[in-house]
Amino acid sequence: MSIDKCTLVELQTIADTRGNLTIVEGGRHIPFEPRRVYYLYGVPEGRDRGGHSHRELQQLIIAVSGSFDVVIDDGQSKKVVRLDDPRYGLYICPMIWRELKSFSENAVCVVLASLHYDEDDYCRDYEAFVDASSSQ
Ligand code: TYD
């Protein structure tokens, strides 16, 4: 898998005088049907999240409030994507190492995930991830 497949998706947003409404429909705006949603918030200054890859899981990561950086890595190339706008989500395909860093104080990170939680789907060892991605 390549980080080039991890695209920033502009989500459908309906804005009027009452505020903004942003929509994510599985299979329509993103290439999977979400089976799980979780969110990260209250991340202390200077602390990082992530630091793993997934064998099968696809995700969409959204900064619904505040901002943070997502470092994506396919074992050969790395890229930093700053998320700071709730109208965009970062699609992450399987076999991408990701680290979430530089959270602003008010940051809320919502993650839509294609599968239920399964620790067996995680790779938490970077060297093992690089080995697995180079043998694909
Ligand atoms: P972890 O995936 O390490 O968090 P991060 O998003 O920073 O990579 O998850 C932290 C803990 O929460 C770990 O013990 C696994 C547990 N967890 C669940 O039980 N269900 C979930 O859906 C998620 C994402 C994590």
Side-chain angles (χ1 to χ4, degrees):
M1 286 294 182
S2 161
I3 54 170
D4 295 340
K5 293 211 161 117
C6 298
T7 48
L8 204 56
V9 181
E10 184 173 2
L11 303 168
Q12 184 185 0
T13 297
I14 298 170
D16 63 31
T17 52
R18 299 169 298 163
N20 305 312
L21 185 154
T22 294
I23 303 150
V24 185
E25 291 192 24
R28 188 175 277 182
H29 304 137
I30 51 174
F32 64 89
E33 300 282 353
R35 296 183 87 179
R36 176 165 56 110
V37 175
Y38 63 91
Y39 34 101
L40 303 168
Y41 53 98
V43 178
E45 194 184 346
R47 300 304 296 267
D48 299 340
R49 303 289 314 208
H52 56 73
S53 64
H54 290 278
R55 293 176 177 84
E56 302 287 341
L57 190 73
Q58 300 175 73
Q59 293 177 308
L60 186 79
I61 303 179
I62 306 166
V64 294
S65 173
S67 60
F68 50 87
D69 288 338
V70 186
V71 184
I72 50 175
D73 177 346
D74 58 19
Q76 295 205 306
S77 311
K78 276 189 199 192
K79 187 164 82 172
V80 182
V81 181
R82 181 91 180 144
L83 292 183
D84 59 5
D85 186 334
R87 296 171 301 172
Y88 291 83
L90 177 64
Y91 168 73
I92 312 253
C93 63
M95 291 300 290
I96 298 292
W97 190 268
R98 86 292 309 275
E99 290 170 10
L100 281 68
K101 298 171 178 284
S102 307
F103 283 82
S104 65
E105 199 184 319
N106 58 341
V108 180
C109 167
V110 168
V111 182
L112 279 58
S114 61
L115 299 170
H116 292 159
Y117 173 73
D118 176 8
E119 187 59 36
D120 289 343
D121 187 63
Y122 279 75
C123 176
R124 295 187 184 273
D125 181 296
Y126 185 71
E127 300 307 322
F129 160 73
V130 172
D131 284 351
S133 51
S134 65
S135 63
Q136 272 196 334

